[in-house]
Amino acid sequence: MAEIKLTDLTKSYGPTEVLHHVEGEIKDGEFIVIVGPSGCGKSTLLRMVAGLETVTSGEIAIAGRRVNELEPSARDIAMVFQNYALYPHMSVRENMAYGLKIRKLSKAEINKRVEEAADILEIRQYLDRKPRQLSGGQRQRVAMGRAIVRDPQVFLFDEPLSNLDAKLRVQMRLEIRKLQQRLGVTSIYVTHDQVEAMTLGDRLMVLNGGYVEQFGTPIELYDRPASVFVAGFIGSPAMNFIPAMVEGDTMVLSTQAKLPAISSYRGAALLGIRPEHLTPDENGPIAIDVDMVEQLGANTLLHGKLNGSDHEMVASVPGHVSTETGAQHRFSVASELLHLFDPATEKRLEA
Amino acid sequence: MVERRPLTSLLTHFVLVLGVIAIALPIWITFVAATHDQYRMNQVPLPLWPGTHLWDNLSQTLFGAGLSGTEGAPVWLMLFNSLAMALMISLGKIAISLLSAFAIVYFRFPFRMTCFWMIFITLMLPVEVRILPTFEVVANLGMLNSYWGLSIPLIASATATFMFRQVFLTVPDEMLESARIDGAGPMRFFWDILLPLSRTNIAALFVILFIFGWNQYLWPLLITTDTSMTTIVMSIKQMLEAAEQSPQWNIIMTTALLAMIPPIFVVISMQKLFVQGLTETDK
């Protein structure tokens, strides 16, 4: 049980800086997801917390203790790797017990902990098997079991579900969440999958190109994305962006369609509208020439271009909509659901 | 190839049988010669079927003075010398190359690649090339006529170092990281994780190196003058020359037969691991 504090954390490989001044405080028992596209530095950040990468500058503190210089084993953490990294020549029981054996715990204590963890994860019947005799999901559980038996202050997960098939991933995702709530251990979880991030995290840290774009709860990120990047990354299908000009009381889109102004900002702006916030409205200001339809059952995705322009648009409409390609659909948007960004800095323009 | 036609299977069998005969016939003749007495072996034609003197020959070779009329060491001692030398060479080579490969793959130290290439270059310098200076060094160290002198100059192995380096490179990095998080230090990681993972490769290498050590001829010939340090491979040649009378084929062949047994035993007992070690890719 511990809080984690990252202060002005920087990582460079030679002259190239890959993480820039990362700040963040993680509360005791919180589940934090670090999310971002590949190459954004999310795994590097996690590995720095684990102690597998050195810190170039700044400080990492776990439970108020500076850990920059400590070996991974001295940081009181446990890590679950993407490829599980189970020792292939040891049985499941030995894999889970290895760290405890090194810490010189008594045989009885080790057995007790291993069996408790095996019960939690329902892998007791596999304890005497070798990793190669297990399926992907079972190996995943063993990897988690190995983390649990250490009874650490922090769990670190490095894309632990990306080697599983889609169905199993959803199931394991829920199990990880339940397990973390049950054990109440502070956790950091790295993923590139925004759905995984939204469902798992108490709070999300969105990284892009080594910078923290936004650090907040999933709903904050969805409702008030701090930048164009976050707005486009969180939510599926991705947000639509339309260049607009705010003059007087109206926002003029590049196609001359007009919407009421939503903030005191005046000048050029980038307007963001989530596909699911476009409501069909025959008199609505936004016209889309549909060129492709995706029927998802519960809702229908209409892909097309903003009438009179080249801007790709997606609208998500509940239920079934039958339409032909080329047909024009009109939509309106509630003004509180509009997002406005500065076209130069790509930061959010607040109302 | 899963094709099965009578003619092709006849042909393949014919070729295989031919191969077996080419390899097995000399061994058969050796065995037959070891079962006859000296007089029968000096008559023409040579026997092709076993005689009745195997136990006599064996006991004379193993525990007697070997060749009658010479004062060579008994063959059991030579067998022991060969075994000691082959084991010291193969185990020593494995231990040293495991450790040097471990250092090269897992530690960052100055001139790491220089070290690696220096080891690699020694591939160009087998014993035969450096035999005089090596002899001088061994003689100055007073290791002539000792097991150390027999094995140490042959113990460093670039091939084995290189092979273990390749094996270690296939072990995923996460394995090391996971061990670090578990709190295993470098030697612990080596002992608990790397060694078991390279088990089959070690076995394969052991087989090859044991036979390499067992078959050493030139080096032991050079540095052993004391008959009690003679190895069996050397002695077979000496037996041929030693006797002023006609060669005692029954004894020589019995010795040859005995010399074959340990390598065969090693190959057979390690066969499964050996094949795994050469073919296994999954880590």
Side-chain angles (χ1 to χ4, degrees):
Chain A
M1 313 300 121
E3 67 285 347
I4 303 172
K5 197 168 177 213
L6 311 175
T7 318
D8 197 20
L9 207 57
T10 300
K11 173 76 187 175
S12 309
Y13 291 110
T16 20
E17 200 173 271
V18 294
L19 275 179
H20 318 278
H21 310 287
V22 173
E23 299 269 348
E25 273 184 56
I26 298 166
K27 291 191 282 287
D28 184 19
E30 229 182 348
F31 199 119
I32 296 297
V33 177
I34 305 177
V35 64
S38 54
C40 70
K42 54 189 190 301
S43 280
T44 310
L45 180 57
L46 186 80
R47 291 162 56 83
M48 283 162 79
V49 176
L52 299 171
E53 299 275 356
T54 55
V55 175
T56 308
S57 74
E59 190 185 75
I60 301 170
I62 298 176
R65 178 176 66 138
R66 178 185 161 99
V67 297
N68 284 25
E69 288 78 23
L70 292 182
E71 269 293 300
S73 54
R75 296 187 179 197
D76 208 0
I77 50 147
M79 185 154 168
V80 178
F81 292 88
Q82 180 174 1
N83 64 2
Y84 321 132
L86 300 174
Y87 310 124
H89 58 289
M90 296 185 191
S91 69
V92 168
R93 182 189 293 277
E94 288 164 339
N95 260 292
M96 287 164 72
Y98 186 60
L100 305 180
K101 212 172 92 188
I102 290 177
R103 284 204 263 168
K104 301 211 163 56
L105 265 63
S106 72
K107 271 246 168 63
E109 173 70 13
I110 293 177
N111 271 335
K112 193 178 126 239
R113 286 208 199 177
V114 168
E115 274 162 28
E116 267 173 25
D119 285 340
I120 293 175
L121 294 162
E122 293 162 15
I123 51 172
R124 194 183 251 270
Q125 66 270 41
Y126 307 124
L127 276 180
D128 294 316
R129 292 210 197 157
K130 291 275 167 65
R132 85 174 84 86
Q133 296 164 304
L134 302 177
S135 69
Q138 291 162 344
R139 286 183 205 185
Q140 177 62 57
R141 281 164 200 268
V142 176
M144 302 216 327
R146 197 163 62 167
I148 293 172
V149 291
R150 295 172 50 93
D151 192 16
Q153 292 198 321
V154 180
F155 279 143
L156 304 173
F157 298 91
D158 189 4
E159 305 206 24
L161 303 184
S162 49
N163 284 353
L164 301 179
D165 63 59
K167 196 176 159 210
L168 202 54
R169 205 177 306 165
V170 174
Q171 186 196 336
M172 286 305 290
R173 191 166 82 198
L174 293 175
E175 285 192 26
I176 289 182
R177 186 67 180 130
K178 271 192 236 159
L179 189 70
Q180 193 269 345
Q181 280 170 348
R182 176 169 164 191
L183 300 172
V185 177
T186 315
S187 302
I188 306 181
Y189 186 106
V190 163
T191 180
H192 58 262
D193 181 340
Q194 56 102 2
V195 180
E196 215 168 280
M198 296 285 280
T199 49
L200 274 173
D202 291 323
R203 282 194 297 156
L204 270 53
M205 180 186 272
V206 183
L207 276 186
N208 182 29
Y211 290 96
V212 178
E213 293 271 345
Q214 193 170 2
F215 189 20
T217 64
I219 294 307
E220 269 169 36
L221 263 60
Y222 181 82
D223 284 349
R224 299 171 55 78
S227 65
V228 173
F229 178 81
V230 177
F233 195 76
I234 302 294
S236 173
M239 188 185 274
N240 300 300
F241 296 103
I242 310 164
M245 188 58 118
V246 190
E247 293 162 335
D249 287 343
T250 51
M251 253 188 312
V252 186
L253 303 190
S254 56
T255 57
Q256 301 308 317
K258 289 188 173 66
L259 288 166
I262 53 164
S263 74
S264 52
Y265 177 82
R266 296 292 175 269
L270 202 57
L271 178 67
I273 308 169
R274 293 204 181 275
E276 55 273 34
H277 294 156
L278 285 165
T279 6
D281 179 349
E282 276 172 35
N283 303 313
I286 296 167
I288 297 177
D289 298 328
V290 175
D291 53 26
M292 219 249 299
V293 180
E294 277 184 281
Q295 298 279 3
L296 299 180
N299 53 347
T300 305
L301 300 183
L302 302 172
H303 295 262
K305 292 200 167 55
L306 190 63
N307 180 249
S309 78
D310 274 344
H311 293 298
E312 296 282 350
M313 296 282 288
V314 186
S316 175
V317 183
H320 308 302
V321 177
S322 53
T323 184
E324 304 139 34
T325 55
Q328 192 180 82
H329 285 252
R330 298 190 78 87
F331 299 91
S332 62
V333 195
S335 55
E336 68 272 17
L337 296 175
L338 293 172
H339 306 268
L340 215 52
F341 301 96
D342 185 318
T345 62
E346 303 209 325
K347 295 285 175 228
R348 181 182 186 81
L349 294 167
E350 290 298 342
Chain B
M1 283 279 282
V2 284
E3 202 175 0
R4 280 210 183 164
R5 273 180 295 177
L7 194 68
T8 42
S9 39
L10 203 72
L11 193 71
T12 46
H13 276 88
F14 177 72
V15 172
L16 286 174
V17 167
L18 213 65
V20 169
I21 289 174
I23 291 168
L25 191 65
I27 297 173
W28 174 250
I29 290 177
T30 310
F31 172 70
V32 169
T35 58
H36 288 277
D37 60 18
Q38 194 185 339
Y39 307 106
R40 176 68 189 86
M41 285 313 295
N42 285 331
Q43 290 163 15
V44 194
L46 284 174
L48 275 177
W49 297 107
T52 51
H53 292 268
L54 181 63
W55 299 118
D56 300 343
N57 287 338
L58 268 179
S59 65
Q60 195 197 335
T61 316
L62 270 178
F63 305 110
L67 237 43
S68 50
T70 61
E71 61 281 4
V75 169
W76 70 262
L77 185 62
M78 296 181 199
L79 278 172
F80 177 79
N81 290 343
S82 274
L83 191 68
M85 177 179 73
L87 282 179
M88 280 170 83
I89 290 176
S90 46
L91 296 179
K93 265 182 193 270
I94 286 172
I96 289 177
S97 42
L98 268 172
L99 285 172
S100 39
F102 180 54
I104 283 169
V105 174
Y106 287 100
F107 291 86
R108 302 279 165 275
F109 53 90
F111 304 113
R112 190 170 62 98
M113 284 321 279
T114 321
C115 288
F116 174 69
W117 285 111
M118 272 169 61
I119 294 172
F120 203 68
I121 283 169
T122 61
L123 268 182
M124 288 189 258
L125 302 169
V127 184
E128 290 77 5
V129 177
R130 55 185 165 89
I131 200 152
L132 282 176
T134 308
F135 181 82
E136 169 117 15
V137 171
V138 171
N140 288 340
L141 289 174
M143 294 199 297
L144 296 179
N145 285 317
S146 71
Y147 291 126
W148 301 116
L150 277 173
S151 50
I152 285 177
L154 305 172
I155 240 173
S157 170
T159 331
T161 308
F162 188 69
M163 198 191 101
F164 282 125
R165 173 179 177 266
Q166 300 307 99
V167 171
F168 292 168
L169 287 179
T170 64
V171 174
D173 287 344
E174 283 87 352
M175 212 67 84
L176 171 67
E177 289 168 353
S178 182
R180 277 181 71 190
I181 290 176
D182 272 338
M187 284 326 284
R188 185 108 203 206
F189 169 70
F190 177 73
W191 196 253
D192 285 351
I193 316 279
L194 272 188
L195 273 194
L197 286 182
S198 344
R199 192 173 120 260
T200 51
N201 304 82
I202 292 173
L205 208 60
F206 176 77
V207 172
I208 294 168
L209 294 178
F210 182 86
I211 292 169
F212 165 86
W214 185 265
N215 287 343
Q216 280 305 311
Y217 175 70
L218 183 61
W219 182 250
L221 189 67
L222 205 66
I223 72 146
T224 58
T225 46
D226 191 340
T227 47
S228 70
M229 289 304 296
T230 317
T231 65
I232 196 156
V233 176
M234 284 164 67
S235 77
I236 293 173
K237 179 76 178 15
Q238 283 170 351
M239 282 178 177
L240 276 173
E241 291 164 349
E244 277 144 29
Q245 68 267 47
S246 56
Q248 299 173 30
W249 285 113
N250 58 330
I251 302 297
I252 297 173
M253 288 307 179
T254 312
T255 313
L257 207 59
L258 287 168
M260 272 188 269
I261 291 171
I264 290 176
F265 177 76
V266 166
V267 171
I268 290 177
S269 61
M270 298 245 173
Q271 194 181 25
K272 202 175 138 222
L273 283 173
F274 179 73
V275 174
Q276 265 180 29
L278 293 184
T279 55
E280 187 183 61
T281 49
D282 182 38
K283 276 271 135 42

